[in-house]
Every structure is written in C-alpha cells, then in structure tokens.
Amino acid sequence: VQLVESGGGMVQPGGSLRVSCVASGFTFSDYAMNWYRQAPGKERELVASVSGSGAYTNYAPSLAARFTISRDNAKNTVYLQMDSLTPEDTAVYYCNALSSYGDRYWGQGTQVTVSS
C-alpha cells in the first residue's frame, strides 16, 4: 500500500495550490479519502473528506469556502484545491485512506508554505 502526495510548495498569501495523492496497493474506490494537515506545534487536523464514489464531501467548517476536495477513481488520485491561502494554512498536508472496516493508511505528507 502506498499513498504518495505531491504538489506542495511555497505560495504567496492569496494564492492557490493543488496537492495530489496517488494511491496504490488497494481498491481505491472502496476507501473514503481524507486530507489532514499539521502545522508546527499543533495537532493534526482533518481538512476535508470525500466518499469512495466521490459523491459526498465534508470539510472543516473554517475551510469549506476556500478548499475543494475531489477524486478521480480511474487515476487512483485524490486532490485538494486550496484557494485564497493565508500564512495560517502553512502545514504539512497528509493524505489518508479509510475503509468502512477501519483500515487506515497514511501518506508521507507534503509541505505547504504560505509566505510573502
């Protein structure tokens, strides 16, 4: 099983970034996919979730207006589009897969830095 994130980097405040996570080693559509983030000195927090089919999404209330999660089951890939970024969005962003049986997998994370 592998989850490999990419697309992180440095962006100026007000900018946009899309991070991706490619999955392998399991039946991707059987898993809900989640994005978490962890800022320095803070606990890891759930950012957004998408169901296995992609029909249902959920967001941290404070991020719903700026972040969009989506998935492409044909490509075994989940995305997180982040707009109007602020320095407070600086964190390591982690991809997570969760089955209905409780199986859970994590990626290694990708750093997103918002700074002028």
Side-chain angles (χ1 to χ4, degrees), residues 29-115:
S29 58
D30 285 349
Y31 285 68
M33 296 300 297
N34 309 293
W35 283 100
Y36 285 77
R37 70 182 184 182
Q38 187 166 20
K42 295 189 176 181
E43 292 188 356
R44 191 172 297 189
E45 64 172 342
L46 179 62
V47 173
S49 301
V50 60
S51 62
S53 67
Y56 302 100
T57 58
N58 229 340
Y59 297 91
S62 62
L63 302 176
R66 299 186 296 116
F67 287 18
T68 303
I69 189 171
S70 62
R71 66 191 294 161
D72 184 340
N73 286 350
K75 297 181 178 180
N76 283 9
T77 302
V78 61
Y79 306 97
L80 183 68
Q81 175 69 39
M82 302 179 286
D83 299 319
S84 302
L85 287 162
T86 74
E88 288 67 39
D89 295 315
T90 295
V92 178
Y93 284 73
Y94 295 93
C95 175
N96 167 265
L98 179 65
S99 79
S100 58
Y101 300 102
D103 298 323
R104 186 184 288 271
Y105 308 121
W106 290 93
Q108 83 288 349
T110 186
Q111 176 71 48
V112 172
T113 302
V114 185
S115 175

